[in-house]
Structure formats: structure tokens, C-alpha cells
Amino acid sequence: ITYTLYTPCVAIDSTIIVVTASSDATIAQVGPYCTSDPSVTLSAATVGGTWSGVGITNGATGAFDPISAGAGSHVITYTINGPCPGVDTVTIVVNPRPNATITQAGPYCISNGVVTLAAASAGGTWSGTGITNGATGDFNPVIAGVGSHVITYAIGGPCPATDTMTIVITLNSNATIAQAGPYCVSAASVNLSAATAGGTWTGTGII
């Protein structure tokens, strides 16, 4: 820049003015995350600044931990100091991950009635052999049949969750007693029998 003074004796002076570009602190958009997601490293257009806000575990590197931040919307700030400082903010959304843990059920007999399965968080969908209503979790042992059946419970949304369990269906025990007697009071002891062994006998005369 030159300054000229026009007088009978001309005077001129000049100076150099340096104009430096402002630091670009623009943050790269990130998220949303789930509360169970691992730590991530945030980035900005210009390195060398300092990160701050809920969930920031390292202000120099921009490490952001969704678990530490917790569910919610968190305002993160990136600041570059110096002769031409720059500042930018971004809102990072962390969504809660639902708990899809299924309450263990069974084993059931083939003759058991319909049961309603349960899980820690509602709102998911049930699937698998024997499920007659995916929304309510109704399970019918008769439809499932004898055997081991894997049941799945899935919760959708931004942070999906899934759990499985195995329900065992067994045949009904056959306790049919083989007909015996009549006997005389002087007859020797006899061993009664039934269709399926392993049960317990009770009644007058059972020794």
C-alpha cells in the first residue's frame, strides 16, 4: 500500500499488509451413532484445532465415544486458534440401543396351550417355528411339534437388536397302567406296570 503526499516537496511511503485466510474449522458431518458403537475419530477441514463437548475423550485427536456420551443430541465444538481463528460446531445424535434379551421359556409338552413369549424391550418382531403372532410373541407347541425350535426376536430402528433362544417341545408322557387283577387277598405281591417307566406309584397296597 502506497501513500503519496503532493506538496511542493512530494513525499511517498509504502507498507506491506498481509491478509491471511481465516482458518477453516468446518467439521465433517458424522453420525448418528448407537450407544453401543465404538469410539470414532472426528475430522475437520483444517487440522491442529481442539475438540470439546460431551463424548470427546481426546481434545487433540477428536476421539468421540458414543458410550461415554450416552443417548441424546450432543453439540461438539472444534476451535482453531491463531491470528485468524476458526470455530465450528456439529450436533451428533446418539440413539439408545434397545435390549432384545428374550426371557427363557420352556420346555413344553406337545399338549401345552399357547404361551406368550416376552423380551426385555417391547416393540420387536418374533419369528420361528411355532410363532403364530409375530407382534405379540404367541407360541403354539402343537404347531411347533416335538423337537428343538430356534425363536428369534428382532427390534428394528436406527439401532437394531436381536436375540434368539431354543424352545424344546417333548411328547406327553404315557402313564397308561396295564390292567391288573382281580386278586385274592392271599395272592403274592405283583409288580404293576405302565406304558412308560420311571414314574411313582401310590395307593392302598403299594409297598
Side-chain angles (χ1 to χ4, degrees), residues 43-194:
S43 62
T46 304
V47 299
T50 302
W51 299 86
S52 61
V54 177
I56 294 295
T57 57
N58 189 315
T61 65
F64 175 80
D65 185 13
I67 298 175
S68 298
S73 298
H74 308 289
V75 176
I76 303 300
T77 302
Y78 181 63
T79 303
I80 302 176
N81 295 317
C84 297
V87 178
D88 191 23
T89 61
V90 66
T91 299
I92 299 179
V93 176
V94 179
N95 295 303
R97 184 179 293 279
N99 185 356
T101 302
I102 301 171
T103 302
Q104 185 60 45
Y108 298 111
C109 295
I110 191 69
S111 61
N112 285 141
V114 175
V115 294
T116 299
L117 305 179
S121 297
T125 302
W126 299 87
S127 61
T129 304
I131 295 295
T132 57
N133 188 319
T136 62
D138 289 347
F139 175 81
N140 191 326
V142 175
I143 293 177
V146 174
S148 298
H149 307 287
V150 176
I151 302 299
T152 301
Y153 181 65
I155 302 175
C159 297
T162 303
D163 191 23
T164 62
M165 76 169 170
T166 299
I167 297 180
V168 177
I169 306 299
T170 59
L171 285 171
N172 293 326
S173 299
N174 186 354
T176 302
I177 301 172
Q179 186 60 46
Y183 299 110
C184 295
V185 292
S186 59
S189 296
V190 295
N191 288 325
L192 305 179
S193 64

